[in-house]
Amino acid sequence: MADAASRRIAFQGELGAYGDEATGAFFGPAVTRVPYPTFRAVFEAVASGAVEGGVVPMESALAGPVAEVVDLLLEFTPPISGELRLRVRHCLLAPPGHTLEGLTHALSHPQALAQCAGWLRGHHLQPVPEANTAVAARRVAQEATPGTAAIASRAAGERYGLTVLAEGIEDSPDNATRFLAVGPAVPPSLGARWKTSVVLTLDNGPGALAGVLGAFAARGVNVARLEARPGGVRAWDYRWCLDVDGAEDSAPVKAALDEARSASTSLQVLGSYALND
């Protein structure tokens, strides 16, 4: 296995983005962090072997799942090799000389804008979606448009020479994003807790989902997340995404998966991985 310094790990955005920060937290500061412009490009790079792994945001504690990433996980089905919950502390950034009172617009990724929605309303700032928080910071630094600021990390502000006008502007002090490591590269030094991610399809009949969930409940296995996504073949067919607590090879999870598989039309384990809380 390649050492950390020689690993190439993809993330979406630019250097200074939260995905960049999460990649370093997963794999250490020596890893080679490779930015890609879109989430699809990250998955394509992992699938082609251009990189040893990728880091993608799966869910925001405030804004919910990142639907595009969920759908790409189901399309590419790379192995999930780790989970990291990153505390996200947003800053309002502007070129030197700007003041909060003179601002009218704030650029950022839609998830970040959603996480700061209350603060933005309170300060009468119009949210403007951008591809990524670091992209927003770079654009504000390069264009220096009067009245325009970016919402991004302090690290992004330092990278692009912006001034921090306000810090901690997220609406909840518990704001965090759940990142996943995908691909063959397994992050080192993760925690002792484990999770298993599953995608399954069901016959559209009474009690079908209850039967699957009951397989886990009967063995004391907690279903930590349940989400339906379009099946992609026929209208109103769904794929069900489940995260359950525990490792795939533990006796309760293994038995529950065996029973759930018999009650499903298809079932695939996307990964069984350690959590870094």
Side-chain angles (χ1 to χ4, degrees):
M1 180 180 294
D3 60 31
S6 63
R7 283 181 173 177
R8 289 167 48 84
I9 305 297
F11 68 94
Q12 186 271 333
E14 297 191 1
L15 295 175
Y18 290 108
D20 180 18
E21 182 179 346
T23 302
F26 260 129
F27 291 95
V31 73
T32 300
R33 304 189 294 272
V34 185
Y36 282 84
T38 65
F39 291 130
R40 176 170 289 277
V42 170
F43 281 89
E44 289 174 343
V46 173
S48 70
V51 294
E52 284 73 45
V55 170
V56 290
M58 179 69 172
E59 185 177 18
S60 161
L62 297 184
V66 183
E68 181 184 0
V69 170
V70 177
D71 290 340
L72 288 167
L73 279 169
L74 299 180
E75 177 182 346
F76 286 87
T77 63
I80 301 173
S81 57
E83 177 180 312
L84 170 75
R85 297 180 184 180
L86 181 72
R87 173 72 172 89
V88 175
R89 189 168 176 81
H90 290 306
C91 296
L92 188 73
L93 307 171
H98 284 61
T99 65
L100 179 59
E101 290 72 23
L103 297 179
T104 57
H105 293 78
L107 279 62
S108 198
H109 187 274
Q111 287 277 351
L113 295 173
Q115 292 164 7
C116 303
W119 193 93
L120 291 173
R121 287 193 299 270
H123 290 80
H124 309 291
L125 294 179
Q126 178 69 34
V128 180
E130 187 51 86
N132 181 269
T133 56
V135 171
R138 176 176 56 79
R139 180 177 171 187
V140 166
Q142 291 177 345
E143 297 180 1
T145 302
T148 301
I151 294 175
S153 66
R154 176 176 282 274
E158 292 171 353
R159 174 172 291 276
Y160 296 108
L162 298 174
T163 299
V164 176
L165 298 182
E167 188 167 11
I169 64 173
E170 60 276 4
D171 294 336
S172 170
D174 297 324
N175 189 34
T177 295
R178 186 161 68 98
F179 284 87
L180 297 181
V182 297
V186 178
S189 303
L190 292 172
R193 293 198 306 119
W194 281 69
K195 181 182 287 186
T196 299
S197 292
V198 177
V199 59
L200 56 88
T201 58
L202 299 167
D203 286 328
N204 189 18
L209 180 58
V212 169
L213 297 179
F216 294 99
R219 293 165 178 82
V221 177
N222 180 51
V223 177
R225 171 178 162 270
L226 174 64
E227 181 180 358
R229 298 301 302 163
V233 179
R234 296 186 304 175
W236 320 122
D237 281 348
Y238 295 96
R239 290 172 290 183
W240 294 91
C241 304
L242 283 73
D243 289 345
V244 301
D245 292 339
E248 180 184 7
D249 59 1
S250 67
V253 174
K254 185 177 185 301
L257 286 172
D258 288 342
E259 182 176 338
R261 188 173 282 108
S262 67
S264 308
T265 55
S266 69
L267 186 149
Q268 180 180 2
V269 176
L270 297 177
S272 190
Y273 47 91
L275 312 182
N276 188 342
D277 295 326

